[in-house]
Amino acid sequence: MASITPFTQFSIRYKAPHLLQVLDQRLLPDEEVWLDVNAPEDMVLYIKQLSVRGAPLIGVAAAYSLADWVIQAENAGEKLTPEQVKKVAQMLRDARPTAVNLMFAIDKMIQIGSAEPDFSGARLSVIASELMNREVEMCASMSKFGAALIKDGDGILTHCNTGALAVPGMGTALGVIREAWKQGKKIHVYVDETRPLLQGGRLTTYELKREGIPYTLICDNMAAVLMKQGKIQRVLVGADRIALNGDFANKIGTYSVAILSKYHNVPFHGVAPLSTVDFNCESGQDIPIEQRSPFEVLGASGSFGKIRWAPEDSHTFNPAFDVTPVDLVESLILDTGIYETEKLKTGCLRGLKKG
């Protein structure tokens, strides 16, 4: 019988004999609760409600969910048709519209372009493992590239959460920070709280505290003052989808930070694996932006419960992401190297191939 080799990452794990689990990120930093994934429908729910988040992690989690479902069906004596597997794969693929890593991972799982795709549990578990291991490798590579830009004594601003909670591996933008700290550079991280869901305030601070990296939590509207005071030497953010011209989508508020950085001459970098580049997307105008629940703006929820501070019938605007144009970017830091603005404008991303 096919099986998935047990593994443990920071926010996803597989326990023998057949138990896929994800860390419920909604409850952090105070509660560490692991959720069982008993069916692909569970994973779709966890992705939609942000128990699982971060573009690379979403892709890997969905891939393992599909492989586990097929294996359990096989072990129960059920013979799944290719159409059944593709239908469930499409359901997972549609869980969130902006993070292209999800689409990339599911397309790998159903072996788009293959004349004879193999939908057996054994084959799907191998592909899922390859996807995860590749993400870990890419995190390590981009972290080293990015850390070379960090100087001893730098103050670094980051937005949202881009660490081991968001990826299999050490992180994207936060991976660069981790690597710089590991190299002995004395740095200080300024953490945007990242409204409306406070991924910076809840998750990035959680990771930095565990690592012992000095940090200061700020409200999103305080970044400009710190830049004016000369306390921020560099900005590092993640990405959920990168267009071929270098525009990229990231958590809402990233575009504002990029504008502030440009005005104050602070280098602004997007950090992401190659799996985040959408080779079918010409520019940021082609990136679909997810619209989320009005309640996320009307109030807040978490381990503390649920609270509403605005009138219940207030009109809201709640895009999950915004798009930063390449003109505001100092460089994109990928696992394949560092690509500066002028190089990005020549279309250099077209020549890269996803692993």
Side-chain angles (χ1 to χ4, degrees):
M1 291 192 299
S3 63
I4 293 174
T5 302
F7 67 85
T8 298
Q9 293 286 342
F10 198 68
S11 50
I12 183 172
R13 66 189 184 190
Y14 198 90
K15 301 171 71 174
H18 298 290
L19 182 57
L20 178 63
Q21 293 183 311
V22 293
L23 184 63
D24 190 350
Q25 298 190 33
R26 299 171 304 164
L27 303 181
L28 294 173
D30 293 330
E31 296 182 47
E32 296 183 7
V33 176
W34 288 85
L35 300 172
D36 294 349
V37 183
N38 296 310
E41 290 80 3
D42 292 342
M43 184 59 75
V44 170
L45 173 63
Y46 297 157
I47 291 172
K48 286 178 181 272
Q49 71 186 20
L50 300 183
S51 295
V52 179
R53 47 152 298 281
L57 179 64
I58 288 172
V60 168
Y64 269 109
S65 176
L66 182 63
D68 185 56
W69 172 70
V70 171
I71 287 172
Q72 293 203 46
E74 290 175 348
N75 291 345
E78 184 179 353
K79 292 185 177 180
L80 298 172
T81 65
E83 289 70 28
Q84 286 176 297
V85 176
K86 288 180 180 179
K87 183 178 179 180
V88 170
Q90 188 64 45
M91 177 184 68
L92 288 161
R93 195 181 193 275
D94 292 341
R96 291 194 76 182
T98 303
V100 75
N101 308 64
L102 174 58
M103 294 76 171
F104 171 69
I106 293 300
D107 288 352
K108 281 284 190 182
M109 291 293 286
I110 62 173
Q111 301 150 62
I112 294 290
S114 172
E116 297 182 1
D118 179 356
F119 294 143
S120 67
R123 179 60 187 147
L124 294 182
S125 67
V126 168
I127 297 173
S129 177
E130 290 173 346
L131 285 166
M132 181 176 70
N133 292 337
R134 180 65 180 133
E135 290 289 351
V136 172
E137 292 169 1
M138 288 190 290
C139 280
S141 180
M142 75 183 86
S143 295
K144 287 184 171 61
F145 282 125
L149 301 175
I150 307 298
K151 296 181 177 61
D152 193 48
D154 273 359
I156 303 166
L157 177 71
T158 190
H159 191 75
C160 196
N161 171 257
T162 58
L165 288 169
V167 299
M170 64 191 298
T172 58
L174 201 54
V176 171
I177 291 168
R178 273 199 173 95
E179 179 64 26
W181 179 254
K182 190 172 115 180
Q183 292 175 3
K185 295 175 181 176
K186 295 179 176 62
I187 55 177
H188 191 94
V189 183
Y190 291 92
V191 181
D192 268 353
E193 63 176 355
T194 318
R195 279 282 295 144
L197 295 177
L198 305 174
Q199 292 97 328
R202 295 185 302 106
L203 307 178
T204 298
T205 54
Y206 169 80
E207 292 199 52
L208 290 170
K209 182 178 179 181
R210 285 173 65 105
E211 294 282 334
I213 300 174
Y215 69 89
T216 297
L217 175 63
I218 63 171
C219 296
D220 295 349
N221 54 10
M222 298 173 182
V225 172
L226 289 169
M227 291 181 185
K228 184 178 181 181
Q229 293 175 351
K231 292 185 177 179
I232 295 173
Q233 283 68 51
R234 200 168 298 275
V235 177
L236 296 169
V237 300
D240 285 77
R241 187 183 298 221
I242 300 173
L244 287 173
N245 71 338
D247 297 346
F248 70 92
N250 192 48
K251 185 55 55 188
I252 188 70
T254 302
Y255 178 39
S256 301
V257 174
I259 292 172
L260 293 176
S261 301
K262 189 74 169 179
Y263 180 82
H264 291 94
N265 295 313
V266 175
F268 176 94
H269 310 271
V271 189
L274 190 57
S275 55
T276 303
V277 177
D278 185 347
F279 290 90
N280 296 311
C281 181
E282 290 296 325
S283 74
Q285 292 183 342
D286 303 315
I287 298 176
I289 301 298
E290 175 186 3
Q291 299 289 327
R292 293 190 58 82
S293 165
F295 182 78
E296 294 175 355
V297 179
L298 294 173
S301 62
S303 58
F304 54 83
K306 202 169 185 178
I307 185 172
R308 175 174 55 80
W309 48 62
E312 195 169 6
D313 59 354
S314 297
H315 292 288
T316 64
F317 175 61
N318 189 22
F321 306 94
D322 55 28
V323 175
T324 298
V326 67
D327 286 330
L328 299 178
V329 179
E330 176 83 6
S331 69
L332 290 180
I333 303 168
L334 307 183
D335 57 285
T336 50
I338 298 175
Y339 304 89
E340 297 178 347
T341 306
E342 294 309 313
K343 192 173 181 182
L344 291 167
K345 288 180 177 180
T346 67
C348 66
L349 294 182
R350 295 178 187 276
L352 303 178
K353 184 179 178 181
K354 290 186 180 182

